[in-house]
Amino acid sequence: MKKILSLVLVSALGGALTLSAYKLFLEKENQVVVTPSSATTPNFLPTSHVNTLLNNAVGEAPDFALAAENTVNAVVHVKNVTISSGQMTFEDLFFGRRPQRAQMGTGSGVIINADGYIITNNHVINNAHKLSVTLNNNQTYDAKLIGTDPKTDIALLKIDADEELPYVTFGDSDHAKIGEWVLAVGNPFNLTSTVTAGIISAKARDLSGNSSQSFIQTDAAVNPGNSGGALVNTNGELIGINTAISSQTGSYIGYSFAVPSNIARKVIEDIMEYGNVQNGVLGIKGSTFNSKVAEDIGINYTKGVYVGEVIKKSGAEKAGIRKGDIIKKLDNIEISKFEDLSGYIKSKRPNDLVNVELLRDDELITLKVKLSKTDAFTVNFIKMDLQDIPDAYKKELNIEHGVVVVNTKNKWLYSNLGFTEGYIITGINDTKIKSIEDISDLKAKYGDDVLSKIKKLEYINLDKEKKEVIFR
């Protein structure tokens, strides 16, 4: 019996060894794929299904070489000679002379077509007595100033060359993305043809505090001398004109700012075609829509521009935009804050049509607005811009007539009467002022001598106090 049992155990052991050897050396490998149940995967984890390892292997970093090579040949060194008063000596005082001395300022510019038109910043060429431009091949030309727009800090120059010049093609700054790689090309510290790289850090950035600017912000190194130079994408397309830096030292410490190419292109096209800038206006007064505003009006939404007032006779009023509407998009461009709106409108002209998508009573509505000229609802009178008073404001002040000051450069009225934005003119020379049409009639009646004809002025100040002043 023991012999039989031993024989069985030896046979089993031999079979096991034989099977193991077969599995190890002879049988082909079978791959087994295990698919986990979807129920075991946490559905609250954000997951990317892109093979990042493969992507990194294909292109570990963007190649700027071609974009840089094309751009440096179209970016120029702008030199601005200004004349200023020199230090007066005793002899100058004795002979009644006013000594003058020349000062040299430098910056950058971008050739935008083969005929030699160059875009730069207004502050680069401001007060120029003589302008010259040096190309990347060291050729120097005298430059002629075609026109400027101080509001956007854009200027247009022209040089005459015997051959066609290299130039940069405009890109679409509205579609530039935060995080996108960009190159800044210019002449910082007189170092010609300098290229730096960075990413777009933010869009529609305002540095003025009154939402009037809409810069592209980047972390590409920009220093004094870069002003007027090119900000290009990796395709070498112009998406901005480098304009400003935010710094406590006056030099680069992390962020720079560029006028978007869509605004810059529109400005120079206006200068070339009309001789001045044609500004289209939507016709609203609003603010960035934040959580405080949302709480005040009782809705749960924090992106967009809140319409606080609709200007009378404007395109917005005619199209049906109302106070309390929340503007979300302009022509499918998302509007998150007021700087988005003002930046987009700056790229448009009077009579352009803009599709405005807005939120009203939890319903999305799209209205087509025809942009107005500012003089359609604004009149300039004794160095002040005046507009009709909104009906809601009339009720608040319990008045029936008047025009409101929206901008003033009248230093005399400001220093003597405190006249500033928000003051309301209700009467002139014992005549009620009901609208800006009455102001236009006064201008037509008195002509250039209107200021001397004003004997009495009735107004309401910012404290809602009714005042009057008699001029002798």
Side-chain angles (χ1 to χ4, degrees):
M1 185 68 182
K2 290 183 179 179
K3 290 182 178 180
I4 296 174
L5 184 58
S6 299
L7 183 61
V8 171
L9 290 174
V10 170
S11 300
L13 180 59
L17 290 173
T18 303
L19 180 61
S20 298
Y22 172 80
K23 287 284 187 180
L24 182 61
F25 298 110
L26 298 178
E27 186 177 43
K28 295 182 179 178
E29 182 182 359
N30 290 323
Q31 293 182 340
V32 179
V33 179
V34 178
T35 304
S37 169
S38 60
T40 63
T41 303
N43 56 17
F44 54 85
L45 291 177
T47 305
S48 172
H49 298 285
V50 178
N51 189 335
T52 56
L53 180 62
L54 180 60
N55 284 351
N56 289 339
V58 171
E60 294 182 355
D63 185 2
F64 299 129
L66 184 59
E69 181 181 355
N70 292 336
T71 306
V72 292
N73 292 311
V75 173
V76 301
H77 198 180
V78 179
K79 296 180 181 179
N80 169 14
V81 178
T82 60
I83 304 298
S84 60
S85 297
Q87 187 174 359
M88 186 172 289
T89 65
F90 179 77
E91 289 182 353
D92 294 326
L93 184 62
F94 182 80
F95 289 106
R97 298 181 307 205
R98 296 179 63 87
Q100 293 182 327
R101 61 190 179 93
Q103 288 184 312
M104 175 75 76
T106 62
S108 303
V110 185
I111 304 174
I112 54 173
N113 68 10
D115 295 331
Y117 281 97
I118 297 170
I119 187 171
T120 185
N121 285 140
N122 177 67
H123 75 260
V124 170
I125 54 83
N126 195 32
N127 298 322
H129 178 71
K130 182 180 179 182
L131 288 167
S132 65
V133 164
T134 302
L135 276 56
N136 192 45
N137 61 9
N138 293 323
Q139 287 184 291
T140 298
Y141 299 89
D142 290 334
K144 179 171 64 174
L145 178 62
I146 304 299
T148 67
D149 180 38
K151 289 184 178 179
T152 56
D153 200 9
I154 292 297
L156 182 64
L157 309 179
K158 175 74 166 64
I159 62 173
D160 295 320
D162 295 331
E163 69 282 347
E164 290 190 350
L165 298 171
Y167 60 91
V168 176
T169 302
F170 278 99
D172 187 348
S173 55
D174 285 336
H175 291 94
K177 302 296 184 184
I178 294 175
E180 179 181 344
W181 281 101
V182 288
L183 295 178
V185 186
N187 305 281
F189 306 122
N190 285 323
L191 300 172
T192 58
S193 305
T194 297
V195 180
T196 56
I199 62 168
I200 295 176
S201 308
K203 294 181 65 178
R205 184 70 81 196
D206 176 69
L207 303 179
S208 67
N210 56 19
S211 300
S212 62
Q213 298 170 332
S214 186
F215 288 125
I216 295 174
Q217 177 182 325
T218 82
D219 64 353
V222 169
N223 282 291
N226 270 112
S227 291
L231 186 73
V232 300
N233 58 24
T234 53
N235 295 324
E237 298 168 332
L238 186 69
I239 61 168
I241 299 297
N242 296 315
T243 299
I245 55 178
S246 179
S247 169
Q248 295 176 337
T249 64
S251 296
Y252 171 78
I253 57 170
Y255 296 110
S256 55
F257 303 89
V259 177
S261 60
N262 286 5
I263 295 177
R265 183 178 68 244
K266 183 260 180 185
V267 167
I268 62 172
E269 286 176 349
D270 282 355
I271 290 173
M272 294 172 72
E273 185 172 352
Y274 304 103
N276 55 38
V277 179
Q278 306 290 300
N279 292 313
V281 180
L282 188 63
I284 68 155
K285 292 183 179 179
S287 60
T288 296
F289 189 69
N290 54 35
S291 56
K292 178 66 170 62
V293 176
E295 183 180 350
D296 290 343
I297 64 177
I299 66 173
N300 183 25
Y301 193 82
T302 56
K303 276 190 175 182
V305 169
Y306 178 78
V307 179
E309 178 186 329
V310 180
I311 306 299
K312 285 189 174 184
K313 303 176 185 176
S314 68
E317 183 190 54
K318 293 174 182 177
I321 294 180
R322 304 175 189 170
K323 179 181 179 179
D325 288 343
I326 301 163
I327 297 176
K328 294 184 61 182
K329 289 183 179 180
L330 297 178
D331 292 336
N332 291 320
I333 301 297
E334 185 174 350
I335 303 299
S336 298
K337 53 187 182 296
F338 194 82
E339 291 85 348
D340 292 328
L341 183 146
S342 62
Y344 186 77
I345 295 299
K346 282 180 182 177
S347 68
K348 300 297 179 181
R349 297 182 177 86
N351 299 322
D352 282 352
L353 295 176
V354 176
N355 291 310
V356 180
E357 182 181 293
L358 52 85
L359 186 68
R360 178 187 296 167
D361 298 328
D362 295 327
E363 181 182 357
L364 286 175
I365 301 172
T366 300
L367 300 175
K368 192 178 292 291
V369 178
K370 186 177 183 179
L371 300 185
S372 315
K373 288 185 177 181
T374 54
D375 56 11
F377 49 83
T378 301
V379 62
N380 187 273
F381 180 69
I382 55 175
K383 298 183 178 180
M384 296 187 296
D385 290 332
L386 308 176
Q387 289 180 358
D388 289 337
I389 305 175
D391 292 335
Y393 201 33
K394 286 182 179 179
K395 291 180 181 179
E396 181 183 337
L397 296 175
N398 193 26
I399 59 175
E400 296 181 353
H401 61 276
V403 292
V404 62
V405 178
V406 294
N407 186 33
T408 178
K409 294 182 179 178
N410 192 316
K411 296 180 180 179
W412 190 92
L413 282 178
Y414 175 76
S415 59
N416 288 277
L417 301 177
F419 251 77
T420 187
E421 289 83 358
Y423 271 51
I424 296 172
I425 297 175
T426 57
I428 296 176
N429 295 347
D430 291 322
T431 299
K432 288 183 179 180
I433 300 299
K434 299 177 182 178
S435 69
I436 60 173
E437 292 179 358
D438 294 331
I439 298 293
S440 298
D441 290 343
L442 278 177
K443 291 179 66 177
K445 179 180 179 181
Y446 295 128
D448 296 336
D449 200 29
V450 63
L451 190 59
S452 66
K453 300 294 184 180
I454 297 177
K455 305 301 180 184
K456 184 178 180 181
L457 184 65
E458 300 168 60
Y459 63 94
I460 300 173
N461 63 19
L462 296 180
D463 295 325
K464 302 178 182 179
E465 299 171 332
K466 294 183 179 180
K467 301 278 188 178
E468 66 178 48
V469 61
I470 297 175
F471 300 100
R472 298 186 182 276

